[in-house]
Amino acid sequence: MSIAVSASIATDHLMRFPGRFADVLLADQLDHVSLSFLVDDLQIRRGGVGGNIVYAMGLLNHTPLLVGAVGADFAEYRAWLESHGVDCSAILVSNHAHTARFVCTTDDDMAQIASFYPGAMSEARDISIAQLAEKRELDLVLVGANDPEAMLRHTAECRELGIPFAADPSQQLARLDGDQSVQLIDGATYLFTNKYEWALLLQKTGLSEEEVAQKVGIRVTTLGADGVLIVDRAGTEVTVGVVPDTAKVDPTGVGDAFRAGFLTGHTAGLSLERAAQLGSLTAVLVLETMGTQEWTLNRDDALERLTLAYGPEAAADIKPLLCSASPGLEAVPVG
């Protein structure tokens, strides 16, 4: 299947705080909080929701189409993605703005405080899914966190054209009002959120779980260390646990990797359970790595971990996708 990913493209500035935010954030003083965290490390990496998802799909040999806006500073990043099987022909290059920046500090609890500068991302609203669909067949469009107007436009175009789409509003739920949130999910083939975002979505829209179920096909709610809950069109629930990690290095991009693995698996014919297991594998590989696109996929190791986590039948079912995946390539930091 041809999957387009419309979402943010950014450079990540990732820092580590050797302590716990919870120890220094005082609940009764948050209305005038003024803090500076002395961090131990700074890593500058390629990132953004869209970039992270297509990188993972590329490693799984899916050749996704990346849809987004960047600055003139994107040349090296573009070459990196194209070398990993990503189609970057739909990317708009701004004449005046830099590629977006994500600045994030992570503490010892894996809690995060972050800021996001949109830069060229704001021009993603000028990209037309309808025009892209005239030149190529689009079997699925994932509409992820991006310029809000771009998210609304691309969702509306998918509905109008009858192109299946996955709604993944994630971080942008904080910026959207209730009506906009409804527009983004209405008619979605897949709805992705984490546990907090699911609660926020219900609060913002005023919809019940049953009312959301009438608007979307498959709801996928990631639960952190508790795995993932999937509710299909018939209301049947599927729960899948995580692949045990060898180290918790940085959680940035874990959700993006899960979405990539899940969609790659499910659109290739895997069951919801098996697709979620593949998503959990790709997610843990990011968790164990500093940087959202610095991980690699070792087929033999992946099959062993799937076997240990879910059993030999799961590994056997997922194996054909891993056997067609690109071999692991050496990761090269940016900056």
Side-chain angles (χ1 to χ4, degrees):
M1 292 185 68
S2 174
I3 298 180
V5 177
S6 168
S8 63
I9 306 167
T11 301
D12 292 347
H13 294 242
L14 307 176
M15 292 166 280
R16 289 300 302 268
F17 173 62
R20 302 176 66 244
F21 295 142
D23 292 337
V24 292
L25 290 171
L26 305 178
D28 61 343
Q29 301 292 318
L30 292 180
D31 57 339
H32 52 270
V33 64
S34 179
L35 288 172
S36 176
F37 297 97
L38 181 63
V39 298
D40 282 351
D41 188 38
L42 167 64
Q43 300 284 336
I44 301 176
R45 307 285 181 173
R46 306 168 187 89
V49 170
N52 296 340
I53 291 175
V54 296
Y55 171 80
M57 287 181 170
L59 284 189
L60 292 168
N61 205 31
H62 208 296
T63 316
L65 176 70
L66 180 57
V67 180
V70 301
D73 55 340
F74 183 68
E76 182 184 355
Y77 193 168
R78 178 193 293 271
W80 166 263
L81 290 176
E82 290 178 341
S83 72
H84 288 81
V86 177
D87 183 349
C88 295
S89 62
I91 291 175
L92 182 153
V93 180
S94 172
N95 292 321
H96 62 275
H98 288 290
T99 302
R101 295 290 187 272
F102 174 67
V103 181
C104 181
T105 302
T106 303
D107 74 357
D108 287 343
D109 289 337
M110 295 288 106
Q112 295 183 309
I113 296 177
S115 298
F116 190 89
Y117 164 69
M121 187 186 80
S122 298
E123 298 180 38
R125 67 188 67 176
D126 298 329
I127 302 172
S128 169
I129 295 295
Q131 291 180 1
L132 294 178
E134 291 175 357
K135 303 175 182 177
R136 54 176 66 78
E137 183 177 358
L138 298 177
D139 297 307
L140 178 72
V141 177
L142 183 148
V143 181
N146 203 350
D147 170 70
E149 289 191 30
M151 296 171 71
L152 292 166
R153 176 181 182 177
H154 294 169
T155 301
E157 287 181 310
C158 286
R159 272 195 298 267
E160 292 167 3
L161 297 170
I163 300 173
F165 68 96
D168 182 22
S170 57
Q171 301 100 323
Q172 289 294 39
L173 278 173
R175 283 284 301 269
L176 302 168
D177 61 29
D179 290 340
Q180 291 172 326
S181 299
V182 171
Q183 291 177 52
L184 287 181
I185 69 171
D186 193 15
T189 302
Y190 302 92
L191 169 61
F192 289 98
T193 67
N194 62 29
K195 185 176 181 179
Y196 180 84
E197 292 161 355
W198 172 238
L200 182 60
L201 178 66
L202 295 178
Q203 179 195 68
K204 285 218 168 195
T205 62
L207 298 174
S208 66
E209 292 190 20
E210 293 73 20
E211 289 171 327
V212 173
Q214 294 173 8
K215 295 181 177 295
V216 305
I218 297 169
R219 173 166 69 87
V220 183
T221 307
T222 55
L223 309 173
D226 293 325
V228 59
L229 169 65
I230 305 169
V231 184
D232 69 13
R233 296 178 186 275
T236 304
E237 295 187 357
V238 177
T239 57
V240 173
V242 300
V243 175
D245 63 81
T246 59
K248 291 181 174 65
V249 176
D250 193 288
T252 308
V254 167
D256 301 334
F258 174 85
R259 287 149 173 73
F262 177 87
L263 285 175
T264 298
H266 197 239
T267 57
L270 291 182
S271 67
L272 291 174
E273 180 183 25
R274 295 290 187 252
Q277 290 166 346
L278 177 58
S280 296
L281 171 69
T282 53
V284 79
L285 294 174
V286 173
L287 178 64
E288 296 168 351
T289 308
M290 174 57 71
T292 57
Q293 297 176 34
E294 313 308 319
W295 60 281
T296 56
L297 180 64
N298 181 289
R299 298 162 185 156
D300 292 338
D301 179 65
L303 289 171
E304 181 179 357
R305 296 184 73 170
L306 286 168
T307 300
L308 291 173
Y310 307 118
E313 290 186 3
D317 290 344
I318 297 171
K319 182 178 180 179
L321 272 70
L322 297 178
C323 287
S324 66
S326 302
L329 301 175
E330 197 68 29
V332 181
V334 65

